[in-house]
């Protein structure tokens, strides 16, 4: 028997212990659960275990695969999580840059209104609105380019302000 520690943040089992007493300073129920169960470390990779749909047990959806195949699955899932996290962070940076640019040209709105009153047309306001729309369009296009990236190195190299 082993005590397997499932951590919600990781979305998987993150530790195995021989005795419950060995699990120190862990707060079961808040961000993790502990399950007492049989675990054969020669056939089941610890990181493959997931919480069952009823949240009452652990299951290895890759049971029966070789250890190398299980490692490959875990590595693929880890990569997907890292990529997703990186994209989320860079997307927030893109949005922040777009917001900064929109705030930077906000002063033009009142000036455009004043010019249009003086000139008796809407040319200045139209130009201002077109400039705002260009920033939004560039933001959306930049986010689409980022979302298409799948390699961590490409995402690291991606400049969220270069639009």
């Amino acid at each position: 028997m082993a005590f397997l520690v499932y951590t919600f943040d990781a979305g998987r089992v993150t530790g195995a212990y021989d005795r419950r007493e060995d699990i120190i300073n862990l707060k079961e129920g808040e961000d993790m659960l502990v399950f007492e169960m049989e675990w054969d470390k020669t056939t089941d990779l610890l990181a493959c275990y997931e919480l069952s749909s009823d949240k009452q047990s652990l299951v290895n959806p890759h049971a029966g695969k070789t250890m190398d195949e299980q490692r490959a699955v875990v590595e693929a899932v880890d990569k997907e999580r890292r990529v997703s996290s990186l994209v989320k962070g860079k997307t927030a940076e893109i949005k922040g840059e777009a917001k900064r640019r929109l705030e930077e040209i906000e002063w033009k709105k009142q000036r455009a209104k004043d010019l249009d009153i003086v000139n008796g047309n809407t040319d200045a306001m139209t130009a201002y609105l077109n400039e705002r729309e260009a920033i939004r369009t560039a933001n959306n296009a930049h986010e689409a380019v980022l979302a298409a990236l799948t390699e961590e190195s490409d995402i690291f190299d991606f400049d969220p302000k270069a639009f």
Side-chain angles (χ1 to χ4, degrees), residues 20-28 31-32:
R20 184 175 278 280
E21 296 80 31
D22 294 336
I23 306 169
I24 56 173
N25 298 325
L26 298 178
K27 296 178 179 154
E28 186 173 356
D31 61 349
M32 47 133 311

Side-chain angles (χ1 to χ4, degrees), residues 10-43:
R12 67 167 64 138
V13 172
T14 56
Y17 301 87
D18 293 328
R19 303 176 312 153
R20 184 175 278 280
E21 296 80 31
D22 294 336
I23 306 169
I24 56 173
N25 298 325
L26 298 178
K27 296 178 179 154
E28 186 173 356
E30 290 183 20
D31 61 349
M32 47 133 311
L33 297 172
V34 178
F35 295 92
E36 183 178 8
M37 59 185 283
E38 291 292 329
W39 170 55
D40 184 352
K41 61 183 168 187
T42 63
T43 61

Side-chain angles (χ1 to χ4, degrees), residues 57-71:
S57 63
L58 295 171
V59 295
N60 180 354
H62 310 291
K65 292 183 178 179
T66 68
M67 292 295 276
D68 286 339
E69 290 171 330
Q70 291 180 61
R71 275 188 205 88

Side-chain angles (χ1 to χ4, degrees), residues 120-140:
N121 59 36
T122 59
D123 295 348
M125 184 56 85
T126 299
Y128 165 74
L129 293 173
N130 287 339
E131 187 173 357
R132 284 179 56 91
E133 186 59 28
I135 292 170
R136 289 186 177 118
T137 300
N139 169 78
N140 293 341

